[in-house]
Amino acid sequence: MKKIFGAVFAALALAAIAAVPKSSAVTGASLPNTAPVKSIPLIHTLKNVSGHIDVRYRFSFTPSPDNPAEVDGANVRNSAVFVADVNPATRQAVADCSLALQNIVFSKVGNYTFTIAESESSDEINFPHDSENKYDIYFQVTNKLDANNEPTGELAVSLLNQMYSYKEDAKVSLSARFETSANYTYVSLQNKVSGAGADSDKYFKYKVSFENLPENTALTVAGQDTEVEYNGETIRTSSTQTGDVYVYLKHGQTVTIGKYESGDVVANEIPQNTSYTIEKLDEDDYETKLDGETEDTISKIAAAIDADTFAASNVTIASNDKDSTVNTGVFAMSWPFLLAAGLGLSGFFIFRRLSRAS
């Protein structure tokens, strides 16, 4: 496809060279105010995103080394800042800015190529920049001619009405589009019980708190029962929570926090490297271990989903063990009656034996 642009440029170049002015006094020129297009929209779509967005994408505008001459005003570094709301249905957000073209000043006739690309992100860990999409735009610079068809010493600048997309290998409209997915993560908590005295239907309560999340950040909580019986109270759980997250789990249940799924849309909600703490809140006679350590609280730092440390950093296993069901208090209160019953039975057997002996 780039060969097509090359053929077009070759034809334009012949006309431009034939009209080279005999005088070296050429006035620099840029796109006129009457040009139909004076700027290029730069649009970035961020997919699979939830919660707060704080990122700036920067774009580069690079002249081709094969251009006829250097130009002034091409060293721009435009940026787009996300201020748009996330679409709750698609979990996408769009930010845009524009690349002004009238600042570029040409001083020599010929055909010029410039490449538009996305160069960096202010948060490459969570919001990487688009390194795949880039575009070439094309200018034609010719001499202005007088009534005798001779160069006047002034230049005329025009912009081709299409540009070349490297990713699509095709001509596209004059709108540079970029797209990436957020690289957020999620955490999970597994609950299990063990021991002869454990109650597999008992709910255990945990608090999960996150540091430095923006205020009112909503996190998706999945895996709990809709209703739980806890300490004699019926509690309706919530699938979306802000601030500290409270979950109720019984044996064999796993809860995920910060992972939104709806049809084909999947979006994680926790930035990488977020510190968080899980705390068991029950006061009971179970021995609790978090990730194999006898403790009620554990702190971690959330890692990327594809990180080697994901299982250790983002997944926590809570084990609650109870070996015996004997209630020592009830036994202490009942032993006199049990003793009396035992003595009564002994007397009965002794009486039976004496009766038989007689």
Side-chain angles (χ1 to χ4, degrees), residues 83-315:
V83 294
D85 293 331
V86 176
N87 185 314
T90 63
R91 294 297 170 119
Q92 295 185 6
V94 178
D96 58 32
C97 62
S98 61
L99 172 64
L101 301 177
Q102 287 184 294
N103 297 327
I104 307 170
V105 179
F106 301 86
S107 58
K108 186 176 180 179
V109 297
N111 299 308
Y112 293 77
T113 302
F114 296 83
T115 301
I116 301 171
E118 194 169 83
S119 58
E120 62 180 315
S121 161
S122 61
D123 185 355
E124 292 286 1
I125 294 177
N126 290 299
F127 304 109
H129 76 279
D130 185 344
S131 59
E132 296 184 5
N133 281 299
K134 61 179 181 177
Y135 305 86
D136 281 348
I137 63 171
Y138 306 94
F139 291 87
Q140 179 194 10
V141 181
T142 59
N143 290 300
K144 288 185 177 180
L145 303 177
D146 59 17
N148 297 320
N149 204 36
E150 294 183 355
T152 64
E154 295 183 344
L155 300 177
V157 180
S158 61
L159 175 70
L160 268 66
N161 64 358
Q162 287 183 310
M163 62 185 184
Y164 171 75
S165 166
Y166 283 73
K167 186 175 182 179
E168 298 179 33
D169 188 23
K171 294 185 292 183
V172 296
S173 61
L174 292 172
S175 177
R177 296 183 175 274
F178 303 89
E179 180 180 285
T180 55
S181 293
N183 202 16
Y184 274 7
T185 187
Y186 68 92
V187 301
S188 68
L189 172 63
Q190 302 175 15
N191 184 79
K192 62 182 182 179
V193 299
S194 60
D199 181 357
S200 60
D201 291 323
K202 171 182 168 62
Y203 286 98
F204 296 84
K205 184 178 181 180
Y206 301 90
K207 180 176 77 171
V208 186
S209 53
F210 297 88
E211 292 184 15
N212 300 324
L213 284 184
E215 188 176 359
N216 297 324
T217 296
L219 295 176
T220 301
V221 181
Q224 297 186 95
D225 291 335
T226 304
E227 286 189 353
V228 302
E229 295 292 331
Y230 183 78
N231 287 346
E233 180 183 359
T234 300
I235 298 173
R236 291 192 61 85
T237 62
S238 175
S239 60
T240 303
Q241 299 186 36
T242 58
D244 292 335
V245 175
Y246 294 89
V247 297
Y248 301 84
L249 300 174
K250 61 183 179 180
H251 176 64
Q253 291 186 325
T254 298
V255 67
T256 59
I257 302 171
K259 185 173 185 177
Y260 172 87
E261 293 182 282
S262 178
D264 295 332
V265 179
V266 177
N268 300 311
E269 301 166 334
I270 300 172
Q272 291 183 50
N273 298 325
T274 296
S275 298
Y276 69 100
T277 299
I278 297 176
E279 179 183 2
K280 181 196 173 190
L281 299 180
D282 307 279
E283 294 183 1
D284 52 31
D285 53 356
Y286 283 76
E287 180 186 51
T288 298
K289 291 184 178 180
L290 299 178
D291 287 348
E293 298 294 333
T294 305
E295 53 189 6
D296 292 335
T297 303
I298 191 169
S299 296
K300 298 185 176 185
I301 299 177
I305 294 174
D306 57 356
D308 293 338
T309 58
F310 178 83
S313 301
N314 295 46
V315 179

